[in-house]
Amino acid sequence: MEQGGISKLTLQRLPTYLAYLQSLPNDGGGTVSASSIASALGLGEVQVRKDLAAVSVAGKPKVGYRIDELRRDLEAFLGCGTRNRAVLVGVGNLGLALLSYGGFADYGLDIVAAFDKKSALVGTTVDGKPVLSIEELPAFLRRERVSIGILAVPGSAAQTCLNALIQGGVKAVWNFAPVHLTAPKGVLVQRENMASSLALLSYHLKVEEQKDLT
Amino acid sequence: MEQGGISKLTLQRLPTYLAYLQSLPNDGGGTVSASSIASALGLGEVQVRKDLAAVSVAGKPKVGYRIDELRRDLEAFLGCGTRNRAVLVGVGNLGLALLSYGGFADYGLDIVAAFDKKSALVGTTVDGKPVLSIEELPAFLRRERVSIGILAVPGSAAQTCLNALIQGGVKAVWNFAPVHLTAPKGVLVQRENMASSLALLSYHLKVEEQKDLT
DNA sequence: TAGATTGTTAATCGATTAACAATC
DNA sequence: TAGATTGTTAATCGATTAACAATC
């Protein structure tokens, strides 16, 4: 029971496979081998086979995988085509950047409204999306169908905002605040950690510099 | 030999510890225990001790860790205070968002210029940072001290741009293009994968919906 | 001293990789 | 048939967790 089915790391690689397949010419019955995918993506070929086996029909020995089939199965598994409506909470520097960045639409994410407590922002529009008062969030969630919440508020406000989202029925949250949040089972809080990425880069530079000194 | 010293996963958690410590009141000799850090951050307490042991002086049994010492050691290890100069390549939707988002400065990252091939953009300024022609990148890197490159170009152009950055002496690259890139040893290419995060959220929603149907 | 908390050694767990059998 | 490529079973590896010894 509780067969999560697929590992988190595999799941995170799937979009990469799909993007690669989409970059291949797709004229009918073309095929691709696990080893060519692996070398293009910098992965092990056994790993590629295992990942693909988890979501798609079998490949054919000696031939490989049919590109169109693989692509179709990946798209079906990842739910490409289904669109998710989202609200963004917190229209500061980061929130503004996320709001004006149009690229999420390519991944099926439609931000339908943003919320902030700062009255100067309320009533404005960013890239066609209205900024509403945070007080209106509960009513908005009751009224509109929203499946994803994006948190771009300061850490100190994040848990309160998350609670409001959960109260409103949101089941998946993208958290850009640099804090750990608690949520009931069934609600996914996915933390995006810019600071961690930057720490990795900065630490690498520090280490490389020290190497240069020897 | 080749003692990397610290695991990548530990390193990624360090900024979280630091952020938590910074959020604590710091009036002189205050202390904090591994278990309280662990519960605040949703981690195991043994893991916290191990992570902290990798970068800081010992805590004291029965007392815990001195907040100010721990904070100082984390800041030193992560190189807080040292600023890194960066160039951004690719001023599309995403590049523009990254460029106008001011928050990176808090993490020691200073974007000093952006580059694009589109002549309509060249010569403009975003948030005080000049947008230059991609052709000027090599000369710029020779002239200015730049340690980090940020790639926000389409996947098809990413490897070429990476090569130019490496040629110019950049040793750490933050790659937002959804492709795998190859780089010589000594150069870190850290991929930021928005699509993976969104896939996780979207998949979770799909699974939860199916649960609801039973 | 007793108890809380740290640090370490051993066990567990999960993911990756290697070896090999199956098959077109 | 021979060879390339897939899929699977077993071994390895690394990280996390549990058990315990050390110490203030």
Side-chain angles (χ1 to χ4, degrees):
Chain A
M1 58 158 71
E2 191 60 71
Q3 155 115 350
I6 193 169
S7 97
K8 188 176 164 180
L9 294 177
T10 294
L11 184 53
Q12 287 190 291
R13 280 189 296 268
L14 295 181
T16 310
Y17 295 127
L18 180 55
Y20 176 66
L21 293 175
Q22 286 169 341
S23 79
L24 294 178
N26 179 22
D27 44 353
T31 59
V32 64
S33 75
S35 22
S36 64
I37 296 178
S39 74
L41 266 38
L43 302 170
E45 54 176 289
V46 181
Q47 184 166 75
V48 172
R49 282 195 204 102
K50 271 204 166 162
D51 286 346
L52 296 183
V55 298
S56 183
V57 298
K60 283 207 172 56
K62 174 122 181 202
V63 178
Y65 302 84
R66 284 197 50 179
I67 295 175
D68 52 1
E69 280 183 6
L70 206 47
R71 190 174 153 170
R72 184 203 53 199
D73 292 347
L74 275 167
E75 286 171 345
F77 188 91
L78 292 172
C80 297
T82 68
R83 304 208 66 80
N84 290 306
R85 290 162 56 88
V87 292
L88 178 114
V89 185
V91 189
N93 257 336
L94 177 61
L96 207 56
L98 294 171
L99 207 49
S100 40
Y101 170 52
F104 293 141
D106 298 342
Y107 300 111
L109 187 76
D110 296 315
I111 302 179
V112 295
F115 295 84
D116 204 287
K117 68 171 184 190
K118 218 166 156 194
S119 52
L121 291 166
V122 172
T124 63
T125 301
V126 179
D127 203 28
K129 296 140 198 162
V131 179
L132 309 176
S133 163
I134 187 73
E135 322 237 308
E136 298 175 57
L137 181 57
F140 187 92
L141 292 175
R142 272 194 300 275
R143 210 167 60 232
E144 305 266 340
R145 191 177 38 80
V146 170
S147 49
I148 291 181
I150 304 174
L151 281 176
V153 297
S156 53
Q159 185 69 57
T160 306
C161 294
L162 174 62
N163 295 344
L165 288 167
I166 292 170
Q167 190 66 36
V170 168
K171 290 283 200 333
V173 174
W174 205 5
N175 175 32
F176 287 84
V179 292
H180 170 77
L181 301 175
T182 54
K185 242 188 125 224
V187 175
L188 174 68
V189 178
Q190 169 75 17
R191 177 151 164 226
E192 192 75 36
N193 206 336
M194 300 279 191
S196 287
S197 301
L198 284 172
L200 246 44
L201 292 169
S202 157
Y203 180 74
H204 172 81
L205 288 172
K206 208 181 74 168
V207 171
E208 285 296 313
E209 266 167 37
Q210 278 163 2
K211 271 190 202 158
D212 288 351
L213 297 180
T214 60
Chain B
M1 59 160 68
E2 189 62 68
Q3 154 118 351
I6 192 170
S7 98
K8 189 176 165 182
L9 293 177
T10 295
L11 184 52
Q12 288 190 291
R13 280 190 295 268
L14 295 182
T16 310
Y17 295 128
L18 180 54
Y20 176 66
L21 292 175
Q22 286 169 340
S23 79
L24 294 178
N26 180 20
D27 44 351
T31 58
V32 64
S33 74
S35 24
S36 65
I37 296 177
S39 74
L41 266 38
L43 301 169
E45 55 176 289
V46 181
Q47 184 165 74
V48 172
R49 282 195 204 102
K50 271 205 167 162
D51 286 345
L52 296 182
V55 298
S56 183
V57 298
K60 282 207 174 56
K62 174 123 183 204
V63 177
Y65 302 84
R66 281 196 52 179
I67 294 175
D68 52 2
E69 279 184 5
L70 205 48
R71 191 175 152 171
R72 183 201 55 201
D73 292 346
L74 275 167
E75 285 171 346
F77 187 91
L78 291 173
C80 298
T82 69
R83 306 208 64 81
N84 290 306
R85 288 161 57 86
V87 291
L88 178 112
V89 186
V91 189
N93 256 337
L94 177 62
L96 206 56
L98 294 171
L99 207 49
S100 40
Y101 170 53
F104 294 140
D106 298 341
Y107 301 111
L109 186 76
D110 295 316
I111 301 180
V112 294
F115 295 85
D116 203 289
K117 67 171 186 190
K118 217 166 158 193
S119 53
L121 291 167
V122 172
T124 63
T125 300
V126 179
D127 203 27
K129 298 139 199 162
V131 179
L132 309 175
S133 164
I134 186 75
E135 323 237 308
E136 298 176 58
L137 180 57
F140 187 92
L141 292 175
R142 273 193 300 276
R143 210 166 59 231
E144 305 267 340
R145 190 177 40 80
V146 170
S147 48
I148 291 182
I150 304 175
L151 282 176
V153 297
S156 53
Q159 185 69 57
T160 307
C161 294
L162 175 62
N163 296 345
L165 288 167
I166 292 170
Q167 191 64 36
V170 167
K171 289 284 200 332
V173 174
W174 206 6
N175 175 32
F176 287 83
V179 292
H180 170 78
L181 301 174
T182 55
K185 243 189 125 225
V187 175
L188 174 68
V189 178
Q190 168 76 15
R191 176 150 165 229
E192 191 75 36
N193 205 335
M194 299 280 192
S196 286
S197 301
L198 284 173
L200 247 45
L201 292 170
S202 157
Y203 180 74
H204 172 80
L205 288 173
K206 209 181 75 166
V207 171
E208 285 295 314
E209 267 167 35
Q210 278 162 4
K211 271 191 203 158
D212 287 351
L213 297 180
T214 59

